[in-house]
């Protein structure tokens, strides 16, 4: 622990991509002796993995669709969520509020900035999300998972801190384990997932793509694939027809163990997926979700693909023939996969949760600023005693601002 115990509020929307980094940060802050509360929406409250010590406060977050007639309802919900967040701040008195994106971050960060509470936003993707874009000018710090983030205005560069994307402890513990041995005649284990709900395109393309590999390679395959419930039997029959051993399920509880055994990953390019692949060091064939906001999954995949740790196939070009071609290019020899695994490993940022916690701890504390262990210019500025980002607000200013906000 670095200093006295403090209170922090984390705000995250109702998807695993937003919640899992928040859970990881909460665990690290609690380990350092701090108290942490979560603000989320009704969907977020159902996401598994929330630490038992962290209370969850569900607020109305508001949604803004394409129909302007729905905006009044969304604005009303945001204002109510802001009021609820302010009431929590009165009793909990957070030293800082951290937003991870998603609808609940909007009223929470709005409340924090109006109440004078220091604010940090964490962007998991390689494109700055809508809520984080909205508050980029007003927050005290912007933590990023990638060295290059699209839609991030250059004028906010001074408050940007590259920390990475926190991953689950069970996955991070695999970082120092070697890549699974792969002899010329050994099993080639392929892990296929399409996010929390699965992806139908993977169920339709992957079995046929694997069947088009050269016989010597195809006979070594052992597949583990996540599918939608309605696709399970169809996919099982396809693998049976092709003579490829495959274990199928709608959800795998032991995903960390599956990733540890895998020689090759095939799936989407969500932020958490990329973070885990690079934490462990696993080569991948990535098919970005084409309808992802601002095409952020393609942006997520670029760093890993450029390094040689992955191949990216756009969904419109994702055919069985193209998949087989890319797998063959990676797996023609054991060293090819091992080299790709090492390239992926080099893209990992295993200190992400520690660096993010250091950044968060630097706000709202005592007069002496804690050192922030992050890379780039910010690390040099901190080591030289220069301020990082905007000046820190002190607790007295927070309380005065809260009184004004009332």
């Amino acid at each position: 622990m670095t200093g006295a115990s403090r209170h922090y509020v984390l705000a995250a929307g109702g998807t695993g991509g937003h919640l899992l980094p928040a859970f990881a940060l909460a665990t690290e802050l609690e380990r350092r002796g701090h108290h942490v509360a979560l603000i989320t929406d009704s969907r977020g409250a159902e996401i598994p993995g929330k630490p038992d010590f962290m209370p969850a406060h569900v607020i109305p977050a508001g949604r803004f669709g394409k129909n302007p007639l729905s905006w009044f309802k969304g604005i009303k919900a945001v204002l109510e969520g802001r009021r609820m967040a302010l009431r929590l701040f009165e009793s909990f008195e957070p030293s800082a509020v951290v937003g991870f994106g998603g609808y609940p971050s909007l009223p929470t960060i709005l409340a924090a900035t109006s109440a004078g509470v220091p604010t940090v936003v964490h962007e998991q993707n390689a494109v700055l999300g809508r809520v984080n874009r909205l508050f980029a000018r007003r927050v005290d710090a912007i933590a990023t998972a990638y060295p290059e983030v699209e839609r991030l205005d250059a004028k906010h560069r001074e408050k940007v801190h590259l920390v990475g994307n926190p991953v689950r402890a069970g996955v991070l513990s695999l970082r120092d384990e070697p890549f699974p041995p792969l002899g010329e005649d050994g099993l080639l284990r392929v892990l296929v997932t399409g996010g929390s709900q699965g992806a139908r395109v993977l169920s339709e393309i992957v079995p046929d793509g694997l069947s088009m590999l050269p016989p010597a390679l195809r006979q070594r395959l052992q597949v583990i694939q996540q599918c939608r419930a309605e696709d399970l039997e169809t996919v099982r029959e396809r693998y049976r027809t092709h003579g490829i051993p495959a274990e199928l399920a709608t959800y795998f509880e032991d995903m960390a163990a599956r990733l540890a055994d895998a020689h090759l990953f095939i799936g989407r390019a969500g932020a958490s997926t990329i973070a885990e692949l690079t934490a462990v060091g696993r080569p991948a064939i990535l098919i970005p979700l084409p309808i992802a906001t601002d095409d952020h999954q393609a942006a997520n995949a670029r760093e890993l693909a450029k390094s040689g740790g992955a191949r990216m196939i756009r969904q419109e070009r994702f055919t069985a023939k193209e998949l087989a071609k890319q797998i063959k290019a990676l797996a023609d020899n054991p060293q090819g996969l091992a080299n790709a695994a090492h390239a992926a490993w080099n893209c990992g940022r295993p200190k992400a949760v520690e660096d993010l916690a250091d950044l968060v701890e630097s706000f709202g504390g005592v007069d002496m600023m804690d050192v922030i262990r992050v890379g780039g210019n910010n690390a040099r500025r901190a080591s030289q005693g220069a301020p990082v980002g905007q000046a820190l607000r002190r607790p007295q200013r927070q309380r005065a601002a809260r009184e004004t906000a009332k």
Side-chain angles (χ1 to χ4, degrees):
M1 188 178 86
T2 57
S5 176
R6 304 174 202 162
H7 292 184
Y8 294 102
V9 169
L10 313 185
T15 67
H18 295 310
L19 267 299
L20 293 179
F23 295 163
L25 175 61
T27 301
E28 177 64 16
L29 289 174
E30 196 271 344
R31 186 188 69 80
R32 298 183 183 197
H34 304 306
H35 302 282
V36 189
L38 173 70
I39 290 181
T40 188
D41 55 11
S42 55
R43 285 196 308 151
E46 301 300 320
I47 298 291
K50 183 183 77 65
D52 292 337
F53 61 80
M54 180 170 62
H57 301 266
V58 177
I59 66 170
R63 294 173 183 269
F64 298 89
K66 295 181 179 179
N67 184 0
L69 296 177
S70 68
W71 293 356
F72 176 77
K73 185 177 180 181
I75 292 171
K76 183 179 178 182
V78 167
L79 293 176
E80 176 58 24
R82 176 182 176 273
R83 283 191 291 270
M84 293 175 68
L86 284 171
R87 287 198 294 270
L88 173 63
F89 296 169
E90 289 175 4
S91 59
F92 196 65
E93 293 196 340
S95 292
V97 170
V98 187
F100 287 85
Y103 292 109
S105 286
L106 175 55
T108 307
I109 298 294
L110 190 63
T113 55
S114 65
V117 179
T119 50
V120 178
V121 293
H122 180 267
E123 180 54 61
Q124 300 90 51
N125 294 299
V127 180
L128 198 66
R130 291 175 180 175
V131 173
N132 288 346
R133 263 197 322 263
L134 179 65
F135 288 109
R137 179 179 63 85
R138 301 178 65 180
V139 300
D140 295 283
I142 302 170
T144 66
Y146 294 89
E148 296 182 12
V149 179
E150 298 175 14
R151 306 297 294 271
L152 176 58
D153 198 307
K155 65 186 177 184
H156 303 312
R157 194 172 302 280
E158 282 299 307
K159 63 175 75 174
V160 173
H161 306 261
L162 174 62
V163 299
N165 197 10
V167 300
R168 295 171 290 176
V171 172
L172 193 58
S173 68
L174 302 171
R175 183 164 176 81
D176 294 328
E177 298 295 323
F179 185 65
L182 180 63
E184 291 185 2
D185 299 321
L187 288 176
L188 175 61
R189 291 186 288 272
V190 179
L191 176 63
V192 186
T193 73
S196 59
Q197 301 300 317
R200 176 156 292 162
V201 69
L202 297 179
S203 295
E204 293 172 347
I205 300 296
V206 174
D208 293 344
L210 294 176
S211 74
M212 297 175 69
L213 291 171
L217 189 56
R218 186 177 69 242
Q219 292 168 7
R220 297 165 50 205
L221 292 173
Q222 186 177 67
V223 180
I224 296 172
Q225 183 165 346
Q226 175 209 21
C227 305
R228 295 182 179 184
E230 60 269 29
D231 297 333
L232 271 175
E233 289 309 315
T234 301
V235 177
R236 184 170 285 118
E237 182 57 33
R238 283 188 178 183
Y239 278 118
R240 187 181 297 118
T241 299
H242 296 318
I244 298 173
E247 179 184 352
L248 310 178
T250 57
Y251 180 76
F252 291 105
E253 292 280 353
D254 55 345
M255 187 56 76
R258 307 289 180 151
L259 188 59
D261 290 338
H263 295 108
L264 176 65
F265 172 88
I266 302 173
R268 294 300 194 193
S272 294
T273 296
I274 300 292
E276 293 191 350
L277 289 172
T278 56
V280 179
R282 291 297 179 270
I285 294 176
L286 301 171
I287 304 91
L289 179 68
I291 61 172
T293 305
D294 296 319
D295 198 24
H296 68 256
Q297 287 205 2
N300 291 349
R302 285 181 191 130
E303 181 189 22
L304 187 53
K306 186 177 180 180
S307 76
R311 305 292 180 99
M312 180 172 67
I313 307 175
R314 288 285 192 170
Q315 187 160 312
E316 62 268 21
R317 296 191 298 104
F318 184 52
T319 63
K321 184 177 180 179
E322 180 63 21
L323 177 62
K325 173 184 172 183
Q326 296 297 339
I327 294 175
K328 187 174 184 298
L330 274 171
D332 248 354
N333 64 79
Q335 196 56 44
L337 277 174
N339 289 342
H342 185 67
W345 190 90
N346 280 337
C347 290
R349 296 181 175 88
K351 299 280 188 184
V353 71
E354 297 172 26
D355 288 342
L356 181 57
D358 287 347
L359 175 62
V360 171
E361 275 191 324
S362 72
F363 291 93
V366 294
D367 287 341
M368 182 178 292
M369 185 190 300
D370 297 325
V371 174
I372 307 174
R373 298 192 307 270
V374 295
N377 292 332
N378 291 325
R380 288 192 291 273
R381 287 162 60 85
S383 67
Q384 296 164 2
V388 180
Q390 296 181 350
L392 306 188
R393 299 188 178 105
R394 297 302 174 214
Q396 292 85 351
R397 287 183 59 190
Q398 297 172 38
R399 286 193 288 273
R402 280 197 290 272
E403 290 301 319
T404 303
K406 293 178 186 177

